[in-house]
C-alpha cells in the first residue's frame, strides 16, 4: 500500500480564521494541536518554531495556542523535533506530548516506542503524533542557494515557501517567485534518497497538501488514537471536512507521487546495496511488496 | 518456550529428528512440552564491573514488578537480590558490567555463567559495549593494575544484548515478556546487537552520516543519556568528552536498523 494503512482519508481545513491566515495549507496540524491542548488531550506540543535566523526553524515545546500558531507554515529544512521530546517530558514535565514530524522523524519516534533501549519513561507519553507528507528535505544552505542566488532576493523578504506544480515557489509581500523544481535537484539531502515513506505512514494522523485544493489539506487518520482526536476535532467544529477528490488531483495524484518516491528510493536502495553500502531497508528482491516501508 | 529459544540459538540439545514413533509417545512429549512451558524461567543476575544501575532500572517497573517476581519468573541468583553463594543452573543470566581482565574472580564468574546459563544476556551498556569502563586505564589504589575492562562478548559467547546506560525499565520488561512468550521476532534485534561491542558516539558520523543515511531527525540526540549529542545544521554533533560509548545513539537511530513489521504491529496498522 503506497499510502500506508489508514482508517479514513478526507480533505479538511481549520475553521479558525487566524490559523487559515498563517497556515501552509489547511492548518490541520495547528488546529489539531490547539484543540488537543484546549481539551487537555495533550499538555504541550513539540513543533518547528521560529529562530533568530529567517526560515531556519528549531524544535520548541509549545504550551499555548499562540506558540503553536507562531510555528505554522512549512520550512523546507531541518528541525530535529525528535530530540525535543525528551526535554518536553523532563524539563517541561509534560505527561501527554503532541508532536509534528516528517516521515523519518515518525520512524525515529515509533522505533523508540517499540524498542526504548535507553529512553526511559517517554514511549507512552507521546499522545498525538501528527505526520506531514514529505518528498525530500534540504540543508539550510540549499534554501539560501534557491532564494538568495537563484531568485536573487533576501531570505528575510520571504513570507511563504511552497513546492507544487513542479516548482519551488516563494511569496514575498508583493511578488511570487518560482524556480523549476528541476533546479533544486542535487540540493536535497542524501539521506532522503532511500526514504520509502511519503505520507507519514506511521503517524496517528498524517496530513499534507497534495490531493486537495489550495487552502485545504489531505488528511489520513491511521491509529485509533489519531482517529478519536481527529473526529472529536471535527465534531467540535474546529476542523471542517469534505470528501477527498477521487479524480486526477485527489488520491490519484497522491498515489502517483507516493509511488514515484518509493520506486526511486527502491532503486537507490538496490544500487547502494549493490555497492556494499549499509542500508537499513530490504532490497527489492527480498520483499513481497517492493514499495513497502521495510 | 525456553527449549524453543535454545533451539533457535543452537544451544542445548539438537532438535529431534522427525519422529515416526507411536502417537502416545508424541502426546507424552506434548505433555512434557506444556509442563515446560508452565515452568517459570530461572533468572540469574550477575554483577561484574557495573554500577547496579541496570538492576535498579529493572526494579523501576513498579506496576508489573510484583507480578513479574511472583508469577512470571524466578530470580534464582544475584548479589543484592538472593542470599546464595553458589551459582545455580539458570535459564537466563542477566550480566551487568564489563569484565576486568586483571580480576581473576570476575573472569571465573563470567566463565561460570556461560556454563550454567542457557541464555547469557549482556545487560546494560557496560556488559554490551564496555560503556564508560572503556576509559579505564588503571593506576588507582587499591588495585593500580586493574586497568583493562572489556565487554563480556570479548570473552564468552553472548546470546543477546540490551544496551542502555541504563536500559530503560520498559525495554527490560518487554524483553522479559518476549523471553517468556518465546517471541523471537521481538528479540531478534537484541540477538543482532550482541555483536555490537565497539560502540561510540562517532558511529553516528561513521555509520550514518558518512553512509549517506542521516536525515537529521534528532532521534540520536534525544536518546543520548549524557547529552553528548546535539544537532548542528541538521546533523549530529558529538561532544566526545561527554560520550560514554554506550552505543544508544546509534542503536536508536532509525537508519541503523529498522523494525517496520514490529512497529506496525504495535500500532495496530
Amino acid at each position: 500500500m503506497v499510502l500506508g494503512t489508514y482508517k479514513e482519508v478526507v480533505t479538511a481545513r481549520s475553521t479558525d480564521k487566524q490559523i487559515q491566515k498563517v497556515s501552509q495549507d489547511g492548518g490541520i496540524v495547528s488546529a489539531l494541536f490547539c484543540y488537543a491542548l484546549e481539551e487537555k488531550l495533550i499538555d504541550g506540543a513539540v513543533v518547528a518554531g521560529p529562530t533568530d535566523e529567517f526560515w531556519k526553524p528549531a524544535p520548541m515545546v509549545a504550551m499555548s495556542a499562540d506558540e503553536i500558531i507562531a510555528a505554522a507554515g512549512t520550512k523546507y529544512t531541518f528541525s530535529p523535533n525528535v530530540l525535543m521530546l525528551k526535554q518536553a517530558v523532563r524539563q517541561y514535565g509534560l505527561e501527554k506530548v503532541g508532536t509534528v514530524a516528517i516521515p523519518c522523524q515518525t520512524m525515529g519516534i515509533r522505533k523508540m516506542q517499540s524498542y526504548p533501549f535507553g529512553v526511559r519513561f517517554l514511549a507512552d507519553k507521546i499522545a498525538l503524533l501528527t505526520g506531514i507528507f514529505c518528498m525530500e528535505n534540504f540543508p539550510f544552505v540549499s534554501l539560501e542557494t534557491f532564494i538568495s542566488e537563484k531568485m536573487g532576493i533576501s531570505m528575510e523578504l520571504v513570507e511563504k515557501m511552497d513546492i507544487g506544480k513542479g516548482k519551488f515557489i516563494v511569496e514575498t509581500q508583493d511578488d511570487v517567485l518560482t524556480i523549476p523544481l528541476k533546479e533544486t535537484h542535487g540540493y536535497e539531502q542524501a539521506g532522503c534518497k532511500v526514504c520509502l515513506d511519503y505520507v507519514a505512514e506511521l503517524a496517528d494522523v498524517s496530513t499534507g497538501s497534495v490531493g486537495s485544493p489550495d487552502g485545504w489539506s489531505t488528511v489520513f487518520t491511521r491509529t485509533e488514537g489519531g482517529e478519536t482526536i481527529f473526529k472529536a476535532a471535527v465534531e467540535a467544529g474546529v476542523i471542517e471536512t469534505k470528501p477527498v477528490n477521487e479524480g486526477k488531483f485527489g488520491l490519484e495524484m497522491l498515489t502517483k507521487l507516493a509511488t514515484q518516491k518509493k520506486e526511486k528510493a527502491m532503486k537507490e536502495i538496490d544500487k547502494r546495496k549493490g555497492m556494499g553500502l549499509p542500508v537499513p531497508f530490504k532490497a527489492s528482491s527480498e520483499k513481497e511488496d517492493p514499495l513497502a516501508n521495510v | 518456550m525456553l527449549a524453543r529459544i535454545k533451539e533457535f540459538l543452537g544451544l542445548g540439545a539438537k532438535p529431534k529428528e522427525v519422529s515416526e514413533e507411536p502417537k502416545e509417545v508424541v502426546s507424552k512429549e506434548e505433555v512434557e512440552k506444556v509442563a515446560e512451558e508452565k515452568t517459570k524461567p530461572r533468572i540469574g543476575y550477575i554483577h561484574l564491573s557495573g554500577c547496579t544501575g541496570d538492576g535498579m532500572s529493572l526494579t523501576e517497573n513498579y506496576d508489573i514488578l510484583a507480578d513479574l517476581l511472583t508469577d512470571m519468573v524466578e530470580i534464582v541468583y544475584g548479589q543484592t537480590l538472593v542470599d546464595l553463594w553458589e551459582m545455580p543452573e539458570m535459564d537466563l543470566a542477566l550480566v551487568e558490567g564489563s569484565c576486568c581482565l586483571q580480576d581473576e574472580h570476575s573472569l571465573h564468574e563470567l566463565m561460570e555463567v556461560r556454563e550454567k546459563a542457557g541464555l547469557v544476556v549482556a545487560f546494560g551498556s557496560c556488559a554490551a559495549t564496555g560503556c564508560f569502563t572503556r576509559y579505564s586505564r588503571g593506576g588507582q589504589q587499591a588495585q593500580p593494575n586493574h586497568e583493562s575492562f572489556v565487554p563480556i562478548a570479548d570473552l564468552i559467547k553472548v546470546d543477546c544484548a540490551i544496551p542502555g546506560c541504563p536500559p530503560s525499565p520498559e525495554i527490560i520488561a518487554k524483553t522479559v515478556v518476549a523471553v517468556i512468550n518465546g517471541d523471537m521476532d521481538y528479540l531478534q534485534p537484541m540477538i543482532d546487537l550482541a555483536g555490537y561491542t565497539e560502540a561510540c558516539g562517532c558511529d553516528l558520523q561513521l555509520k550514518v552520516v558518512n553512509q549517506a543515511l542521516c536525515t537529521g531527525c534528532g532521534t540520536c540526540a534525544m536518546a543520548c543519556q549524557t547529552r553528548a549529542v546535539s544537532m548542528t545544521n541538521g546533523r549530529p554533533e558529538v561532544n566526545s568528552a561527554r560520550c560514554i560509548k554506550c552505543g544508544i545513539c546509534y542503536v536508536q537511530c532509525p537508519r541503523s536498523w529498522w523494525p517496520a513489521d514490529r512497529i506496525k504491529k504495535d500500532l495496530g496498522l
Side-chain angles (χ1 to χ4, degrees):
Chain A
M1 252 180 298
V2 285
L3 301 177
T5 308
Y6 57 90
K7 295 184 186 296
E8 209 184 349
V9 56
V10 293
T11 284
R13 73 169 176 188
S14 163
T15 54
D16 186 318
K17 293 276 177 281
Q18 201 193 343
I19 293 178
Q20 281 180 10
K21 221 185 325 176
V22 295
S23 64
Q24 185 76 12
D25 300 299
I28 298 302
V29 176
S30 305
L32 274 179
F33 284 153
C34 288
Y35 172 76
L37 203 56
E38 181 136 312
E39 295 297 314
K40 299 195 166 34
L41 303 171
I42 58 172
D43 317 312
V46 173
V47 294
T51 63
D52 294 340
E53 219 169 321
F54 288 95
W55 296 98
K56 194 171 194 177
M60 65 171 279
V61 178
M63 309 276 283
S64 69
D66 285 346
E67 286 176 308
I68 285 165
I69 292 168
T74 303
K75 296 94 177 174
Y76 287 97
T77 188
F78 314 128
S79 178
N81 283 5
V82 185
L83 77 87
M84 209 61 187
L85 294 175
K86 199 185 237 173
Q87 269 95 312
V89 168
R90 305 279 196 277
Q91 273 81 39
Y92 292 74
L94 307 190
E95 288 288 325
K96 292 172 285 184
V97 186
T99 187
V100 55
I102 51 177
C104 55
Q105 296 175 329
T106 65
M107 289 162 80
I109 295 167
R110 294 310 194 192
K111 176 174 161 181
M112 174 272 287
Q113 288 181 302
S114 285
Y115 286 96
F117 275 107
V119 187
R120 55 203 279 117
F121 302 138
L122 173 54
D124 59 350
K125 295 192 170 73
I126 311 294
L128 175 59
L129 175 49
T130 313
I132 44 185
F133 304 171
C134 179
M135 190 56 86
E136 67 220 342
N137 203 357
F138 299 98
F140 186 69
V141 178
S142 297
L143 279 192
E144 284 184 323
T145 305
F146 306 155
I147 292 159
S148 308
E149 304 301 322
K150 291 184 187 265
M151 292 175 174
I153 60 159
S154 157
M155 292 287 274
E156 61 202 66
L157 293 176
V158 175
E159 306 241 302
K160 188 175 179 175
M161 289 181 204
D162 208 354
I163 289 178
K165 300 171 186 95
K167 292 181 184 117
F168 182 83
I169 306 156
V170 158
E171 288 175 26
T172 64
Q173 212 162 16
D174 40 32
D175 216 355
V176 178
L177 302 161
T178 65
I179 53 171
L181 214 46
K182 257 197 312 217
E183 286 194 37
T184 68
H185 292 166
Y187 289 91
E188 317 87 341
Q189 68 172 339
C192 296
K193 292 187 176 178
V194 294
C195 178
L196 289 160
D197 187 355
Y198 174 51
V199 288
E201 296 175 22
L202 301 173
D204 291 317
V205 175
S206 40
T207 182
S209 87
V210 174
S212 293
D214 286 349
W216 293 76
S217 301
T218 307
V219 182
F220 292 93
T221 52
R222 300 186 182 279
T223 63
E224 264 168 45
E227 186 185 39
T228 307
I229 293 184
F230 185 76
K231 281 198 163 156
V234 172
E235 211 149 287
V238 302
I239 289 174
E240 58 179 317
T241 65
K242 54 186 189 181
V244 73
N245 186 352
E246 295 289 345
K248 207 173 160 197
F249 298 103
L251 277 191
E252 197 181 312
M253 176 62 91
L254 203 54
T255 307
K256 189 180 141 198
L257 288 180
T259 307
Q260 276 176 3
K261 173 170 180 177
K262 282 163 176 264
E263 282 175 348
K264 215 166 135 194
M266 210 51 253
K267 217 177 260 179
E268 175 74 12
I269 291 167
D270 288 343
K271 184 180 137 199
R272 287 196 195 177
K273 284 189 176 246
M275 290 193 284
L277 292 169
V279 184
F281 310 115
K282 287 181 184 160
S284 55
S285 58
E286 300 170 285
K287 300 206 288 194
E288 271 178 51
D289 173 7
L291 300 186
N293 182 24
V294 291
Chain B
M1 166 271 309
L2 284 158
R4 207 180 130 198
I5 293 172
K6 283 180 197 166
E7 193 182 299
F8 181 85
L9 296 168
L11 302 168
K14 282 181 189 166
K16 287 192 182 79
E17 284 174 25
V18 181
S19 73
E20 289 171 26
E21 289 162 45
K23 263 190 180 166
E24 38 196 326
V25 179
V26 175
S27 61
K28 193 182 155 203
E29 275 181 3
E30 272 168 7
V31 171
E32 279 174 1
K33 196 171 146 247
V34 172
E36 195 182 356
E37 274 174 351
K38 284 190 175 163
T39 311
K40 291 189 275 183
R42 295 163 299 167
I43 296 185
Y45 167 69
I46 285 81
H47 193 281
L48 297 179
S49 296
C51 69
T52 328
D54 307 316
M56 291 289 291
S57 194
L58 163 74
T59 66
E60 283 182 76
N61 281 296
Y62 310 110
D63 299 343
I64 61 161
L65 193 64
D67 287 342
L68 186 75
L69 294 181
T70 31
D71 301 332
M72 293 165 76
V73 302
E74 202 177 339
I75 305 273
V76 294
Y77 182 72
Q79 297 157 350
T80 75
L81 298 172
V82 181
D83 185 16
L84 186 69
W85 287 91
E86 284 290 310
M87 194 185 290
E89 296 278 329
M90 298 162 285
D91 297 307
L92 181 85
L94 299 170
V95 182
E96 170 170 352
S98 60
C99 188
C100 175
L101 296 181
Q102 289 82 28
D103 180 16
E104 284 306 321
H105 178 73
S106 292
L107 283 166
H108 173 79
E109 206 175 355
L110 187 57
M111 299 306 154
E112 196 178 2
V113 175
R114 183 63 279 182
E115 256 172 55
K116 300 233 165 116
L119 287 175
V120 174
V121 180
F123 183 41
S125 284
C126 281
T129 71
C131 204
F132 65 88
T133 65
R134 285 289 195 189
Y135 294 100
S136 300
R137 43 191 290 182
Q140 288 183 316
Q141 288 296 8
Q143 294 287 355
N145 68 327
H146 281 198
E147 72 171 49
S148 316
F149 293 75
V150 293
I152 61 171
D154 280 10
L155 297 164
I156 60 166
K157 181 181 183 302
V158 171
D159 301 304
C160 61
I162 314 178
C165 188
S168 72
E170 296 102 309
I171 197 76
I172 300 168
K174 280 166 172 268
T175 307
V176 172
V177 170
V179 167
I180 290 167
N181 292 333
D183 184 351
M184 298 314 299
D185 291 338
Y186 190 74
L187 297 174
Q188 190 57 50
M190 297 169 206
I191 295 167
D192 298 338
L193 283 169
Y196 179 50
T197 56
E198 293 185 11
C200 178
C202 60
D203 290 343
L204 295 172
Q205 181 67 31
L206 296 177
K207 299 181 179 182
V208 187
V209 179
N210 284 172
Q211 305 295 335
L213 291 171
C214 184
T215 64
C217 69
T219 307
C220 49
M222 181 263 294
C224 178
Q225 296 178 281
T226 63
R227 297 190 205 177
V229 183
S230 56
M231 298 297 288
T232 306
N233 290 325
R235 292 293 174 266
E237 189 168 305
V238 177
N239 178 346
S240 58
R242 287 187 81 104
C243 175
I244 56 167
K245 295 183 187 285
C246 68
I248 276 306
C249 52
Y250 180 66
V251 167
Q252 300 280 181
C253 171
R255 289 295 176 84
S256 56
W257 50 280
W258 177 234
D261 294 332
R262 166 61 58 166
I263 289 170
K264 283 180 189 155
K265 193 172 153 196
D266 286 354
L267 291 173
L269 293 178

